[in-house]
Amino acid sequence: MKRLVLLWFLLFCTFFLHAEDGYRLWLRWDRIENKTLLRSYSGQITFIRLPGETPVAGTARQELQTGLSGLLGKVVGLEPGKTRKGVVGGLISDPVVAAYLSAEERDRIGEEGYLLRFDGMRILLAAKDDRGLLYGAFHLLRHLQQQLPLEQLDFLENPKMKIRVLNHWDNLDRTSERGYAGFSIWNWHELPEYIDPRYRDYARANASVGINGSVVTNVNANALVFRRDYLEKVAALAAVFRPYGIKIYLTARFSAPMDQGGLPSADPQSPKVQKWWGDKVKEIYELIPDFGGFLVKANSEGQPGPQQYGRTHVDGANMLADALKPYGGIVMWRAFVYSDKEPEDRAKQAYNEFVPLDGQFRENVLIQVKNGPVDFQPREPIHPLFGAMPKTPVMMEFQITKEYLGQGTHLVGLASMWEEVLNTDTYARGKGSTVSKVLDGSLFGYQLTGMAGVANIGTARNWTGHIFGQADWYAFARLAWNPYLESKAIFLEWTRLTFGLNPQVVGPITEMLASSYETCVRYMTPLGLHHIMAEGSHYGPGPWIDQIPRAEWNSAYYHKADEQGLGFDRTETGSKALAQYRPQLAEWYGDKTNLRFLLWFHHVEWKEELSTGRTLWAELCLQYDQGAREASALKVKWTTLQPFIDTERYEQVSMHLAIQEKEARWWRDACISYFQSVSKMDLPEGLAPPKYSLLYYKMLIFPYAPGTRPKW
Amino acid sequence: MKRLVLLWFLLFCTFFLHAEDGYRLWLRWDRIENKTLLRSYSGQITFIRLPGETPVAGTARQELQTGLSGLLGKVVGLEPGKTRKGVVGGLISDPVVAAYLSAEERDRIGEEGYLLRFDGMRILLAAKDDRGLLYGAFHLLRHLQQQLPLEQLDFLENPKMKIRVLNHWDNLDRTSERGYAGFSIWNWHELPEYIDPRYRDYARANASVGINGSVVTNVNANALVFRRDYLEKVAALAAVFRPYGIKIYLTARFSAPMDQGGLPSADPQSPKVQKWWGDKVKEIYELIPDFGGFLVKANSEGQPGPQQYGRTHVDGANMLADALKPYGGIVMWRAFVYSDKEPEDRAKQAYNEFVPLDGQFRENVLIQVKNGPVDFQPREPIHPLFGAMPKTPVMMEFQITKEYLGQGTHLVGLASMWEEVLNTDTYARGKGSTVSKVLDGSLFGYQLTGMAGVANIGTARNWTGHIFGQADWYAFARLAWNPYLESKAIFLEWTRLTFGLNPQVVGPITEMLASSYETCVRYMTPLGLHHIMAEGSHYGPGPWIDQIPRAEWNSAYYHKADEQGLGFDRTETGSKALAQYRPQLAEWYGDKTNLRFLLWFHHVEWKEELSTGRTLWAELCLQYDQGAREASALKVKWTTLQPFIDTERYEQVSMHLAIQEKEARWWRDACISYFQSVSKMDLPEGLAPPKYSLLYYKMLIFPYAPGTRPKW
């Protein structure tokens, strides 16, 4: 009876005191329910040996102890007991560890890397530095939480990228540009005194998947962050991140010497400007000795930059790089530029501006390039700069926050898209010159390598607003560690860690994740359509937008629908953007049977028969219809999981899937309505007509859609 | 050994899975640790009998079961077992319950009231309606969580106010005006589909202390909330609130018929305008049958209102009242008005505008009046409208969010201030005519009565940002239920519920709460000073502000410091605002030995000797100095609690107390600096000089102080 009460009380605790609100992410470390396995693990893991005095080593030890104790339901101590069965870890310079390694293995373990191996007696964790220990510790915990056999523990992992950073487009007032999970988690006002426990949990979650840097401010930057009191706030955050191996970075507003320094110009050739930056960087490093460096958006969308002074990106980036060099800091200079002049083709601009500058940047500069040439569209060809700057490290910028893919409420597994991008062959050094090989430095021998992800993290209790947004955060980090991972493997891993191992759960969820990307493309921008979202907020469809003075901010600029047909001719007969790719890739992109990119590169007649045997018009309607139906199917599929998932997370996802279904239908109906108003063609037989008139869809306005500038 | 492991595991669960993050507020229901008492309670409470089919009755039953099961560490069932010992509850119309009540008791239990009594055998819970059951259930749980003897259960409680509402100054974009706990908890964008679990927890927390209404939108109102899709969102929130007995209210922007209806005017005499409101109200009630009504800020700080059309507050309020009347809705019309013209004395304006209108409002209109005549200052005399409108229900507006009292980071127990206000004697019907008696209707026989609190709730995990902000929320609700409660009793109750019963904790915390209000007044606005905060944000000191075109937005307007002296003469020789009070109260306020209000009503020479024997200048300096020292002492006192409080909440409060100490010192130094620059007098001997120059303090700017309009 007493036992029963206690059991009930435990359940009660679990239910009432610890609702499954999603806060724990993939870091659960709940006791393993499989009794046999638990006994086996417990027998093999009786202690943890992981010396090290650095803060990061301390974190590794603590996380390992917390995690193992949770998973095994017992306190795992730090002293070997009667048995020698346990975790034996340490640096490769540690003789105890070195004894178990071959010389070749010691050589192969690189910076931040680790070897993790079960030899039948002990679990060996060896690393070259303390970050490697931390990453290896989390790898071990992931392995056990997935209840994989100890015998499979045989890994030698080195990160493929040196810089694995999140970009927070967070403003100092806590609004978050393109943030759909509430507001910024950085409470600048109460820093440096008040340290929200969430800062630590943030660092921990990132470290658990290998992120080693965080740019905490918006690329549309505010120079106020360089004021002394703000730098002290930054230092307080840095101190929280440090034990998790995470460096802090700031965005540098190019006009900061004017905004904060009171100088009359920000000309990078001005000695006073150079001195201001030099002094400011010195001040920063005095407060934050391991400061990472700057991320810069210059001469783009109204942001100041060197071109205002007749200088180049090289002049601007190198000036900052020179200031940072003595301290080991880097500059991530964004290639997402918008000149003041109207471009002949928006998609061509960055390539045209940056390729001529190749080789002129300092060694501590990386060029940060978005995955595609326009702007994080549901589907884009790769950015032509990948493979086109052999002498300048080019790093990837992915957008984890779903500005254009359903924002905070759609389930879309972004890893599918990223995999497509990373695996694309640039042919820069012949066949096999994938984007991944550009990024990891293997193609051109870049000394600096990196991947940035625009974070989808906010004040929402579950971090990402949509529970499945966690999968995107997770996937980004895993791909930054190793861009060669398969999306399906990542989905599987995340699902098992987040929702447990029940195959009745794991199968459907991974299928949902894996299929959802194509579904989203279908109901939003099928066949290579792009940038037809509502203006400003990018919330919902807006293919009719054609009145904004700036041409390339209009949907019509991108889809070029007219009575004859649809699509942007970027071939030889059009903007010639296709020619920015190597011939083999251009051929593939330009192939009209490659329907993924058809309307990206071609203006196609409505009546033209596609490789599917249907006309463009029929195919377009069918794609929209299918996308909407697939969104409904996602919701239905989820209902089959109800018996197997905790109520809280089940309900959260259900409610979001209802929104996704509604909005997918909205996309379908609005776009079919609009394109029909241009094509003047009848709907394909059997296709349900749009629910409302085109005017209805055009009149919908949402002034408070999240992620945009607040309006009062 | 196994036991030890289990114990450890339990601790582990508690620590890792359920950090004390403050989310649970005062609703803890943890198992009672005192074994003897637990056994005694358990023996007496073996079942719950609480029939009732309404949603609110269901909630009462469920909360009682959850709470008792938690407190007793066992499942308390709904069926009587062998013993008759248990909770017997129901409506007074229920024969089982009625049998235990005298006729007199049945008569005395009013709407929303309850009788709660232990008769040695059963705990009787009797109510006239289902809300009474809910409030009684929570009373019982509070009683037990405080481990008070069952024998003391002998209560017959009726709420003193009918309308007990929170006002959320929350905008549709989730920013919150004067909100310091993050952002609005209402995620309008994802409503109506996505129901954040926090909505329910919000309703539950409020119901637990008797709140029965919530105005979910800002008084600086946006008519968009009347658009159909937004009303559907409102209806979804109302559905969450309903089972907790909480009605939803909206702020009505007076120009809504123009903004949303497309009419050319919002003239309350226009039949088209009246029809628009009539139709809109009908639409609302079709969606929300128990909709509460409107809160209106009109002709104030730029908000539209009837005076734009040459009409009066009566015309405006009555038009809305007529629209709401058929459905039982009410209008709360704010008296916080700002005319476009510069007033002779800002403090006099509302009185002058509203007293002549007494008796002209419809029966379903209340006038909502801030506690003081200026604007939620740390200390104000009562608003002269209290007691001056015998024929019109006047309701109280308190500000729970601490716009002027340290915002999100200072520990200030507001109940002390509210008690001072509520106990003030208006002398409206002779001695004993306290503000409480005005509010509860006993003085003038108001049929409608109410109290509104401007909420301090936001997205912060602990709801209020500062853990001790929860005490203000709690205290407001308790005073709305019964304005005659003593602040110290409320502090004690909150502390015991929130931090447990250890006297080593309870004593110091209640002392901190009780003393903190005077401390805050001292370091901000001693001796009757007011409105000398920084402009706009009201964050930090700004006594030097004197350049804003609008006179009464300047600090100098309020303190009137000059070479001779300091303070606003509101006596016969000055603005005569003192004459708005009844003679006996005016005499007390005007008494120069009443230092609390000295500079509110008098311009006093720097060298004048006060009743303390010190000159005004010396007393002022001393008050600031003492305030800052007391703020430091708060921090020190808290450190004595470290051994007895969970680390998380201990740390949270510690960090905030560090900010409070810093900012109190800032207030002291900046104000002494500034007033010295005017008085030209030497600092009193022994007083530490301000840390920086006056210029330093004047130059401090905080463009992103929270609670204000976001700036990009």
Side-chain angles (χ1 to χ4, degrees):
Chain A
M1 184 57 198
K2 266 193 180 175
R3 274 204 179 178
L4 213 72
V5 166
L6 191 66
L7 188 72
W8 189 88
F9 184 66
L10 263 167
L11 282 171
F12 183 85
C13 279
T14 309
F15 186 76
F16 284 100
L17 306 187
H18 170 61
E20 280 287 5
D21 54 20
Y23 189 78
R24 293 196 291 165
L25 298 161
W26 49 84
L27 300 150
R28 302 176 69 80
W29 314 159
D30 289 338
R31 193 155 78 134
I32 289 162
E33 283 175 20
N34 178 332
K35 286 269 157 60
T36 316
L37 192 68
L38 179 61
R39 214 173 302 123
S40 150
Y41 280 174
S42 285
Q44 286 296 347
I45 304 176
T46 65
F47 69 92
I48 299 160
R49 186 253 183 215
L50 196 67
E53 297 304 311
T54 68
V56 174
T59 305
R61 191 163 50 238
Q62 182 200 317
E63 289 291 342
L64 206 50
Q65 192 174 24
T66 305
L68 290 176
S69 301
L71 287 162
L72 305 182
K74 65 170 188 182
V75 186
V76 181
L78 296 175
E79 295 300 325
K82 283 168 254 172
T83 152
R84 281 176 300 166
K85 294 180 172 180
V87 179
V88 174
L91 299 182
I92 54 178
S93 54
D94 175 341
V96 173
V97 170
Y100 298 110
L101 298 171
S102 71
E104 189 245 342
E105 284 169 342
R106 280 197 298 275
D107 286 347
R108 279 178 56 213
I109 300 173
E111 280 176 31
E112 304 186 289
Y114 56 85
L115 178 144
L116 186 61
R117 181 168 59 204
F118 177 63
D119 64 7
M121 175 63 78
R122 64 196 68 73
I123 295 168
L124 184 67
L125 169 56
K128 194 169 176 181
D129 51 39
D130 52 10
R131 281 193 199 171
L133 293 178
L134 184 60
Y135 301 142
F138 277 116
H139 187 154
L140 174 57
L141 293 172
R142 282 201 304 269
H143 192 87
L144 300 180
Q145 183 164 307
Q146 291 184 78
Q147 303 186 18
L148 299 171
L150 287 181
E151 289 67 28
Q152 285 181 13
L153 270 182
D154 186 14
F155 302 98
L156 196 163
E157 291 256 338
N158 290 311
K160 300 283 184 185
M161 317 274 178
K162 288 188 181 165
I163 295 157
R164 307 177 298 278
V165 291
L166 291 184
N167 288 185
H168 291 265
W169 288 358
D170 289 7
N171 301 304
L172 300 183
D173 64 3
R174 300 190 71 177
T175 57
S176 182
E177 191 171 340
R178 312 306 177 186
Y180 309 99
F183 294 81
S184 172
I185 62 173
W186 320 127
N187 184 347
W188 292 106
H189 185 69
E190 298 191 12
L191 282 167
E193 287 89 357
Y194 192 81
I195 304 294
D196 191 316
R198 187 169 259 223
Y199 302 155
R200 182 186 156 277
D201 293 338
Y202 163 89
R204 176 170 176 259
N206 278 309
S208 79
V209 279
I211 297 290
N212 67 3
S214 175
V215 189
V216 295
T217 48
N218 192 353
V219 288
N220 290 322
N222 190 324
L224 186 65
V225 80
F226 291 129
R227 199 170 76 176
R228 178 72 189 191
D229 57 336
Y230 272 90
L231 289 179
E232 287 168 3
K233 296 167 191 277
V234 176
L237 275 184
V240 179
F241 295 174
R242 191 167 292 119
Y244 290 91
I246 290 171
K247 283 188 179 185
I248 204 163
Y249 298 77
L250 292 175
T251 49
R253 187 169 168 88
F254 204 76
S255 58
M258 302 162 72
D259 307 336
Q260 281 295 314
L263 296 184
S265 110
D267 183 346
Q269 305 287 31
S270 153
K272 280 189 185 165
V273 169
Q274 291 165 2
K275 181 175 186 316
W276 187 88
W277 282 111
D279 292 346
K280 186 51 72 178
V281 166
K282 182 164 181 281
E283 183 186 359
I284 293 173
Y285 276 92
E286 279 164 7
L287 287 166
I288 311 165
D290 56 351
F291 180 69
F294 294 141
L295 169 64
V296 187
K297 172 178 180 176
N299 293 121
S300 175
E301 297 183 315
Q303 291 293 302
Q307 294 174 347
Q308 286 172 285
Y309 307 96
R311 315 297 179 187
T312 66
H313 292 298
V314 170
D315 297 325
N318 287 356
M319 172 191 63
L320 295 175
D322 289 342
L324 289 159
K325 184 90 194 285
Y327 313 96
I330 62 160
V331 173
M332 294 170 281
W333 191 270
R334 290 176 94 230
F336 180 72
V337 290
Y338 253 106
S339 80
D340 297 335
K341 284 170 295 183
E342 193 171 307
E344 57 170 335
D345 179 357
R346 167 84 196 112
K348 290 168 66 180
Q349 187 172 348
Y351 180 96
N352 290 343
E353 277 195 38
F354 277 85
V355 168
L357 306 177
D358 189 28
Q360 301 178 45
F361 291 96
R362 296 279 189 272
E363 281 183 0
N364 57 335
V365 175
L366 296 101
I367 304 302
Q368 183 169 314
V369 180
K370 293 188 182 183
N371 58 275
V374 169
D375 190 12
F376 296 135
Q377 294 306 297
R379 171 164 275 140
E380 298 195 30
I382 64 163
H383 201 294
L385 277 175
F386 294 112
M389 296 192 79
K391 296 181 227 152
T392 310
V394 168
M395 67 186 283
M396 175 63 78
E397 178 175 318
F398 281 135
Q399 193 181 41
I400 312 173
T401 186
K402 293 210 215 9
E403 176 177 358
Y404 295 99
L405 289 106
Q407 306 194 342
T409 55
H410 293 207
L411 190 167
V412 183
L414 293 183
S416 307
M417 172 169 68
W418 298 334
E419 179 179 48
E420 178 177 302
V421 170
L422 293 167
N423 288 347
T424 299
D425 196 337
T426 69
Y427 292 94
R429 288 270 193 269
K431 192 162 163 51
S433 303
T434 59
V435 172
S436 290
K437 287 190 183 170
V438 174
L439 296 176
D440 74 4
S442 58
L443 199 67
F444 298 128
Y446 295 158
Q447 288 308 300
L448 280 179
T449 54
M451 195 184 281
V454 182
N456 62 345
I457 295 163
T459 48
R461 179 63 185 164
N462 67 16
W463 299 93
T464 52
H466 197 307
I467 290 263
F468 278 75
Q470 298 177 1
D472 299 321
W473 177 8
Y474 186 89
F476 165 77
R478 297 290 287 132
L479 289 171
W481 181 272
N482 181 0
Y484 302 96
L485 291 176
E486 289 184 4
S487 64
K488 283 193 181 166
I490 298 173
F491 291 144
L492 183 65
E493 198 175 275
W494 176 81
T495 304
R496 290 164 60 93
L497 292 171
T498 306
F499 285 103
L501 306 182
N502 182 347
Q504 284 168 292
V505 171
V506 173
I509 289 183
T510 51
E511 285 160 30
M512 289 170 74
L513 278 164
S515 68
S516 56
Y517 170 58
E518 292 293 349
T519 295
C520 176
V521 170
R522 278 195 189 98
Y523 63 69
M524 282 189 184
T525 54
L527 302 172
L529 283 173
H530 51 288
H531 222 309
I532 57 173
M533 290 73 185
E535 188 263 328
S537 69
H538 300 154
Y539 172 63
W544 44 79
I545 293 166
D546 61 359
Q547 297 294 318
I548 304 176
R550 184 142 185 161
E552 77 272 27
W553 291 1
N554 290 287
S555 301
Y557 173 90
Y558 293 99
H559 64 62
K560 302 209 187 297
D562 55 27
E563 278 190 42
Q564 278 69 53
L566 180 66
F568 197 136
D569 182 3
R570 291 187 166 106
T571 67
E572 277 301 300
T573 57
S575 81
K576 303 188 176 58
L578 194 55
Q580 290 183 336
Y581 300 99
R582 307 285 157 130
Q584 300 94 321
L585 180 56
E587 190 184 334
W588 185 69
Y589 276 144
D591 184 342
K592 289 179 88 171
T593 70
N594 188 349
L595 297 184
R596 291 177 174 187
F597 301 101
L598 180 68
L599 302 174
W600 189 285
F601 289 110
H602 303 280
H603 191 73
V604 181
E605 290 196 11
W606 296 111
K607 294 177 180 167
E608 185 171 329
E609 188 180 303
L610 307 187
S611 54
T612 58
R614 283 179 285 267
T615 64
L616 169 65
W617 171 243
E619 185 67 38
L620 185 75
C621 291
L622 184 141
Q623 290 282 333
Y624 273 117
D625 189 61
Q626 185 181 338
R629 281 188 287 107
E630 287 176 2
S632 295
L634 277 179
K635 200 183 78 169
V636 172
K637 187 161 205 150
W638 182 253
T639 59
T640 66
L641 302 181
Q642 184 162 21
F644 314 115
I645 295 187
D646 49 282
T647 314
E648 294 95 327
R649 290 189 295 177
Y650 176 78
E651 287 296 336
Q652 274 192 43
V653 175
S654 289
M655 294 186 287
H656 277 141
L657 287 169
I659 296 177
Q660 184 169 11
E661 178 181 46
K662 180 183 76 171
E663 294 189 351
R665 178 67 198 247
W666 171 29
W667 268 96
R668 169 203 186 276
D669 288 356
C671 290
I672 290 179
S673 268
Y674 169 72
F675 289 122
Q676 189 182 29
S677 78
V678 186
S679 76
K680 319 278 191 205
M681 293 179 75
D682 290 335
L683 292 187
E685 212 167 317
L687 193 90
K691 198 168 167 191
Y692 300 104
S693 71
L694 176 57
L695 186 64
Y696 170 87
Y697 297 108
K698 285 174 138 179
M699 294 290 283
L700 292 174
I701 52 165
F702 303 92
Y704 305 111
T708 52
R709 183 187 302 241
K711 298 182 186 85
W712 279 41
Chain B
M1 183 57 199
K2 265 194 178 173
R3 272 204 182 181
L4 213 73
V5 166
L6 192 65
L7 188 71
W8 189 90
F9 184 66
L10 262 167
L11 281 171
F12 182 84
C13 278
T14 308
F15 187 77
F16 285 100
L17 306 187
H18 169 60
E20 280 287 3
D21 54 20
Y23 189 78
R24 292 197 292 165
L25 297 161
W26 48 83
L27 299 150
R28 301 175 68 80
W29 315 158
D30 289 338
R31 193 157 77 136
I32 289 162
E33 283 175 21
N34 177 332
K35 285 270 157 59
T36 316
L37 192 70
L38 179 61
R39 213 172 304 124
S40 151
Y41 279 174
S42 285
Q44 286 296 346
I45 304 176
T46 65
F47 69 91
I48 298 160
R49 186 253 182 212
L50 196 68
E53 297 303 312
T54 67
V56 174
T59 305
R61 191 164 50 238
Q62 182 200 318
E63 289 291 342
L64 206 51
Q65 190 174 25
T66 305
L68 291 176
S69 301
L71 287 162
L72 305 182
K74 66 171 188 181
V75 185
V76 181
L78 296 176
E79 296 299 325
K82 284 168 255 172
T83 153
R84 280 175 301 165
K85 295 180 172 181
V87 180
V88 174
L91 299 182
I92 53 177
S93 55
D94 176 340
V96 174
V97 170
Y100 298 110
L101 298 171
S102 70
E104 188 244 346
E105 284 169 341
R106 280 198 298 276
D107 285 348
R108 280 177 56 213
I109 301 172
E111 279 177 30
E112 303 187 290
Y114 56 85
L115 178 143
L116 186 61
R117 182 167 59 203
F118 177 62
D119 64 6
M121 174 63 78
R122 64 195 66 73
I123 296 168
L124 184 66
L125 169 56
K128 193 169 175 180
D129 50 38
D130 52 9
R131 281 194 199 171
L133 293 177
L134 183 60
Y135 301 142
F138 277 115
H139 187 153
L140 174 58
L141 293 172
R142 283 202 304 269
H143 193 87
L144 300 181
Q145 183 164 310
Q146 291 184 78
Q147 303 185 18
L148 299 170
L150 287 182
E151 289 67 28
Q152 285 180 14
L153 270 182
D154 186 13
F155 301 96
L156 197 163
E157 291 256 338
N158 291 310
K160 300 283 185 186
M161 316 274 181
K162 288 187 181 166
I163 295 157
R164 307 178 298 279
V165 290
L166 292 183
N167 287 185
H168 290 266
W169 288 359
D170 290 6
N171 302 306
L172 300 183
D173 64 4
R174 299 191 72 177
T175 58
S176 182
E177 191 171 340
R178 312 307 176 185
Y180 309 100
F183 294 81
S184 172
I185 62 173
W186 319 127
N187 184 347
W188 292 106
H189 185 69
E190 298 192 12
L191 281 166
E193 287 89 358
Y194 193 81
I195 304 296
D196 191 316
R198 186 169 260 223
Y199 303 154
R200 182 185 155 276
D201 293 338
Y202 163 89
R204 177 171 175 258
N206 278 309
S208 78
V209 279
I211 296 290
N212 67 3
S214 175
V215 189
V216 294
T217 49
N218 191 355
V219 288
N220 290 322
N222 190 323
L224 186 66
V225 80
F226 291 129
R227 199 171 76 176
R228 178 73 190 194
D229 57 336
Y230 272 89
L231 290 179
E232 286 168 3
K233 297 168 191 279
V234 176
L237 275 185
V240 179
F241 295 175
R242 190 166 294 119
Y244 290 91
I246 290 171
K247 282 188 179 185
I248 204 162
Y249 297 77
L250 293 175
T251 50
R253 187 168 168 89
F254 204 77
S255 58
M258 301 162 72
D259 306 337
Q260 281 296 314
L263 297 184
S265 111
D267 183 347
Q269 305 288 33
S270 152
K272 281 190 185 164
V273 170
Q274 291 164 3
K275 180 174 188 313
W276 188 88
W277 281 112
D279 291 346
K280 188 51 73 178
V281 166
K282 181 163 181 281
E283 183 185 359
I284 293 172
Y285 276 93
E286 279 165 6
L287 287 166
I288 311 165
D290 56 352
F291 180 69
F294 294 141
L295 169 63
V296 186
K297 174 178 180 177
N299 294 121
S300 175
E301 297 183 316
Q303 291 294 302
Q307 293 174 349
Q308 288 172 284
Y309 308 96
R311 316 297 180 187
T312 67
H313 292 298
V314 170
D315 297 326
N318 287 356
M319 172 192 62
L320 295 175
D322 289 342
L324 289 159
K325 184 86 194 288
Y327 313 96
I330 61 160
V331 173
M332 295 171 282
W333 192 269
R334 290 177 93 230
F336 180 72
V337 290
Y338 254 106
S339 80
D340 297 335
K341 284 170 293 183
E342 193 172 306
E344 56 170 337
D345 178 357
R346 165 86 195 111
K348 291 168 66 181
Q349 187 172 348
Y351 180 96
N352 289 344
E353 278 195 38
F354 277 85
V355 167
L357 307 177
D358 189 28
Q360 300 180 45
F361 291 96
R362 296 279 188 271
E363 281 182 359
N364 57 334
V365 175
L366 297 100
I367 304 302
Q368 183 169 313
V369 180
K370 293 188 181 183
N371 58 275
V374 169
D375 191 13
F376 296 135
Q377 295 305 297
R379 171 165 275 139
E380 298 195 31
I382 64 163
H383 200 295
L385 276 175
F386 294 113
M389 296 192 79
K391 295 181 227 153
T392 309
V394 168
M395 66 185 284
M396 174 63 79
E397 178 174 317
F398 282 135
Q399 194 180 40
I400 312 173
T401 186
K402 292 208 209 21
E403 177 176 357
Y404 294 100
L405 289 106
Q407 305 194 344
T409 55
H410 294 208
L411 189 167
V412 183
L414 293 182
S416 307
M417 172 170 68
W418 298 334
E419 179 179 47
E420 178 177 302
V421 170
L422 293 167
N423 288 347
T424 299
D425 196 337
T426 68
Y427 292 94
R429 288 270 193 269
K431 191 163 163 53
S433 304
T434 59
V435 172
S436 289
K437 287 190 183 169
V438 174
L439 296 176
D440 73 4
S442 58
L443 199 68
F444 298 129
Y446 294 159
Q447 288 308 299
L448 279 179
T449 55
M451 195 183 280
V454 182
N456 63 345
I457 295 163
T459 48
R461 179 63 184 164
N462 67 15
W463 299 92
T464 53
H466 197 307
I467 290 263
F468 278 74
Q470 297 177 0
D472 299 321
W473 176 9
Y474 186 87
F476 165 76
R478 297 290 287 133
L479 289 170
W481 181 271
N482 181 2
Y484 302 97
L485 291 176
E486 289 183 4
S487 63
K488 284 193 180 164
I490 298 173
F491 290 145
L492 183 66
E493 198 175 275
W494 176 81
T495 304
R496 290 163 60 93
L497 292 171
T498 306
F499 284 103
L501 306 182
N502 182 347
Q504 285 169 292
V505 172
V506 173
I509 289 183
T510 51
E511 284 160 30
M512 290 171 74
L513 278 164
S515 68
S516 56
Y517 170 57
E518 291 294 350
T519 295
C520 175
V521 171
R522 279 197 188 96
Y523 63 69
M524 282 190 184
T525 54
L527 302 172
L529 283 174
H530 51 289
H531 222 309
I532 57 172
M533 290 73 186
E535 189 263 328
S537 70
H538 300 155
Y539 172 64
W544 44 78
I545 292 164
D546 61 359
Q547 297 293 320
I548 303 176
R550 184 141 183 159
E552 76 271 26
W553 290 0
N554 289 288
S555 301
Y557 173 90
Y558 293 99
H559 63 63
K560 301 209 186 299
D562 55 27
E563 277 190 40
Q564 277 69 52
L566 180 66
F568 197 135
D569 182 3
R570 291 187 166 109
T571 67
E572 277 301 300
T573 57
S575 81
K576 302 188 176 59
L578 194 55
Q580 290 183 337
Y581 300 99
R582 307 287 157 128
Q584 299 95 320
L585 180 56
E587 191 184 334
W588 185 71
Y589 276 144
D591 184 343
K592 289 179 87 171
T593 70
N594 189 348
L595 297 184
R596 291 178 173 186
F597 301 101
L598 180 68
L599 302 174
W600 189 284
F601 288 110
H602 303 280
H603 191 71
V604 181
E605 290 195 11
W606 296 111
K607 294 177 181 166
E608 184 171 329
E609 188 181 303
L610 306 186
S611 54
T612 58
R614 284 179 285 267
T615 64
L616 169 64
W617 171 243
E619 185 67 36
L620 186 75
C621 291
L622 184 141
Q623 290 280 335
Y624 273 117
D625 189 60
Q626 185 182 335
R629 280 188 288 107
E630 287 175 2
S632 296
L634 277 179
K635 199 183 78 170
V636 173
K637 186 161 206 149
W638 182 253
T639 60
T640 66
L641 302 181
Q642 186 163 19
F644 314 115
I645 295 186
D646 49 281
T647 313
E648 295 94 329
R649 289 189 296 177
Y650 176 79
E651 288 296 336
Q652 273 193 41
V653 175
S654 288
M655 294 186 285
H656 277 140
L657 287 169
I659 296 178
Q660 184 170 11
E661 178 181 46
K662 181 183 78 171
E663 294 189 352
R665 178 68 198 245
W666 171 29
W667 268 96
R668 170 203 185 275
D669 287 356
C671 290
I672 289 178
S673 267
Y674 169 72
F675 288 123
Q676 190 181 28
S677 77
V678 185
S679 76
K680 319 277 190 207
M681 293 179 75
D682 290 335
L683 291 188
E685 213 169 312
L687 193 91
K691 197 167 168 192
Y692 300 103
S693 72
L694 177 57
L695 186 65
Y696 170 87
Y697 297 109
K698 285 174 137 179
M699 294 290 284
L700 292 173
I701 51 165
F702 303 92
Y704 306 111
T708 51
R709 182 188 303 241
K711 299 182 186 83
W712 279 42

